[in-house]
Amino acid sequence: MAMSRHDIRSSGDNVMACLTAPGVAAIGVIAVRGPQAIPLVASHFRPVSRKKAASLSDGAIAPCRPYDDLCAHGQALVGWFDDGRQRDQVVIVIRAGHMFPVVEIHCHGGPAVIEWIMNTLRTKGIREVEIQDWLRGTVGDSVQRAVLAMLPYALTYKAAAVLLDQFHGAWCRCISQIEQLLVHAPVEARKLVARLQNLIPVGRHLCFPFQVALAGAPNAGKSTLLNALLGYTRAITSPQPGTTRDVVSADTALEGWPIRLLDTAGWRKTKDALELAGINKALKIWSEADLVLWLMDVSNPPVRPPVELNHCIFVLTKVDLESVWRAEEILDEGANSVSVSAKTGRGLENLARMLIQRLIPAAPEPGEAVPFTPGLCSSTEELHAVLQTANWEAARRLVPKLYDTGDRLLPSETG
Ligand SMILES: Nc1nc2c(ncn2[C@@H]2O[C@H](COP(=O)(O)OP(=O)(O)O)[C@@H](O)[C@H]2O)c(=O)[nH]1
Ligand SMILES: [Mg+2]
């Protein structure tokens, strides 16, 4: 049972957390922290003598002086975790922590060994805590803590790079600059906050993909385009059936940003109950998506969307076939459109580029500050709105909120 956040902060308890993900793995890491962490772990640790460390496979056990050894901070010690009946080869690493030292037990992975070691430590009164609470006790800087909690969920290398930039100070430097500018040059501060505001779409999709719905009449070419886009990006993750049998989703990356493609039911006027259910589901997905690709088959009479779509690109499909209509006759002037053939691949690169431009009008530069948690995104929006009214005093009062990453760090789907 994990402790509540309140407990870990208010007490000098001995606590532990498994730092590695549950599941099958060669190595697992259990970390213990607290005033008694070293002697409690030491009571189950049998080190290999330094002389014999080279011949670890002998199973040699050194005369036991583990406590002294463990007290030599910063060391890695090779030996066994031993409960008197069973033992596992481990490496113990001691690191200086925030207030208390941290003892890491690097053991064999997989749920069984980890659970056995953690159970043994539980009998010593060491209590398990959630990873976020663990970080609260070991990493002093709240922005760095938030990054560490999110990093395992980063969906692409670019997303991870953005998070690491914030870990290395990009966010805090930017906020302190805004703070200073608000005193001497508030108009400049407003420009910086406007830039942060533009980066919110990126910040909201580091651990959660942009949702792009494929929509249009039956036979418009939706499923074929989905496959072509996945093939084009060469990053197929297995398409999974959605909650209804007519929504298929697949995750991919376009230009390094995480994208979820949603293939929705073909739209047409119908009285068939089953088909209507699929269409109603599709309508909901279109309204919630970050972007809808409305597909129109150029080789058949055009079918326009039945509802107003806020974020939409018109995709003229099957352009390898003879067209029976022309875009300028059908689409409003200024409508975003692109012609593709999923069969020949023509236009796919253009479509991918246009799609990313629409989703991410502003991409961060390396090392740039990005509001990277839901809390920081909403505080940025709030500050941006106040700065638009030129109320500098109110803006100054809001700045401390931009150091608070908030508690909810991940969208519920991944969290
Ligand atoms: N010539 C040609 N045929 C296509 C293209 N894209 C799809 N099709 C064909 O159009 C039909 C319907 O495609 P499909 O992707 O199943 O449409 P959906 O109902 O919108 O998912 C299939 O026979 C596809 O092979 C294309 O770019 N060129
Ligand atoms: Mg289909």
Side-chain angles (χ1 to χ4, degrees), residues 2 10 69 89 107 112 138 153-154 165 173 179 185 212 227 237 244 253 301 313 335 340-341 367 384 387:
S10 60
D69 281 352
Q89 231 172 37
C107 57
T138 50
Y153 298 92
D165 281 339
R173 277 194 297 275
E179 208 167 7
V212 176
N227 288 332
T237 62
T244 70
I313 295 177
V340 304
S341 164
H384 182 252
L387 285 170

Side-chain angles (χ1 to χ4, degrees), residues 318-354:
K318 310 190 193 178
V319 293
D320 55 293
L321 301 177
E322 200 175 328
S323 305
V324 301
W325 54 275
R326 281 155 37 103
E328 49 278 23
E329 293 160 8
I330 303 297
L331 298 179
D332 300 335
E333 214 181 312
N336 265 297
S337 74
V338 56
S339 301
V340 304
S341 164
K343 200 167 183 181
T344 66
R346 189 181 135 194
L348 289 181
E349 212 167 309
N350 259 345
L351 170 60
R353 199 174 315 120
M354 191 184 268

Side-chain angles (χ1 to χ4, degrees), residues 11-301:
S11 71
D13 280 353
N14 300 297
V15 294
M16 64 180 161
C18 181
L19 303 186
T20 41
V24 177
I27 300 290
V29 178
I30 299 160
V32 186
R33 169 187 179 273
Q36 300 301 313
I38 292 178
L40 288 175
V41 174
S43 67
H44 283 290
F45 179 63
R46 310 277 170 266
V48 169
S49 75
R50 287 210 179 77
K51 268 187 228 144
K52 291 189 179 171
S55 57
L56 187 62
S57 53
D58 294 353
I61 295 178
C64 191
R65 283 182 53 214
Y67 183 81
D68 295 346
D69 281 352
L70 287 174
C71 282
H73 285 198
Q75 275 198 58
L77 302 170
V78 180
W80 284 270
F81 187 90
D82 190 334
D83 72 351
R85 281 173 302 172
Q86 190 50 263
R87 59 193 171 123
D88 181 34
Q89 231 172 37
V90 293
V91 175
I92 301 274
V93 177
I94 320 273
R95 298 190 294 106
H98 173 62
M99 285 175 71
F100 298 112
V102 174
V103 186
E104 287 177 4
I105 305 166
H106 297 232
C107 57
H108 285 112
V113 172
I114 290 171
E115 193 50 29
W116 161 62
I117 293 180
M118 290 185 88
N119 264 337
T120 308
L121 296 175
R122 268 185 209 108
T123 65
K124 296 278 169 175
I126 301 176
R127 288 192 282 164
E128 188 182 354
V129 294
E130 302 283 359
I131 195 71
Q132 281 199 30
D133 294 333
W134 170 264
L135 291 171
R136 216 175 285 274
T138 50
V139 182
D141 182 300
S142 69
V143 167
Q144 289 192 338
R145 255 195 330 259
V147 170
L148 291 177
M150 292 174 74
L151 205 48
Y153 298 92
L155 291 170
T156 64
Y157 166 71
K158 270 193 185 173
V162 168
L163 285 172
L164 287 171
D165 281 339
Q166 314 317 305
F167 184 90
H168 293 300
W171 180 258
C172 294
R173 277 194 297 275
C174 179
I175 303 311
S176 90
Q177 197 185 350
I178 289 169
E179 208 167 7
Q180 286 163 25
L181 286 173
L182 275 174
V183 179
H184 305 293
V187 175
E188 291 304 307
R190 183 162 64 189
K191 279 189 204 154
L192 264 182
V193 174
R195 172 69 185 160
L196 291 181
Q197 168 85 10
N198 286 337
L199 291 168
I200 286 177
V202 169
R204 287 200 190 276
H205 295 91
L206 300 170
C207 303
F208 186 70
F210 289 94
Q211 314 259 327
V212 176
L214 286 93
N219 263 352
K222 299 178 292 298
S223 304
T224 311
L225 182 61
L226 176 102
N227 288 332
L229 281 172
L230 292 176
Y232 159 74
T233 58
R234 293 177 211 293
I236 300 174
T237 62
S238 66
Q240 328 133 355
T243 45
T244 70
R245 60 178 193 165
D246 45 12
V247 179
V248 172
S249 82
D251 289 350
T252 187
L254 288 176
E255 295 186 9
W257 299 111
I259 307 286
R260 176 163 298 165
L261 298 171
L262 302 154
D263 187 6
T264 62
W267 183 84
R268 67 175 164 199
K269 289 210 170 91
T270 177
K271 291 202 167 98
D272 178 85
L274 197 60
E275 201 176 350
L276 263 179
I279 289 173
N280 284 333
K281 172 90 184 173
L283 284 165
K284 184 163 183 286
I285 288 176
W286 304 345
S287 70
E288 290 169 359
D290 297 299
L291 184 64
V292 178
L293 304 182
W294 185 265
L295 275 64
M296 296 166 88
D297 177 353
V298 298
S299 68
N300 272 300

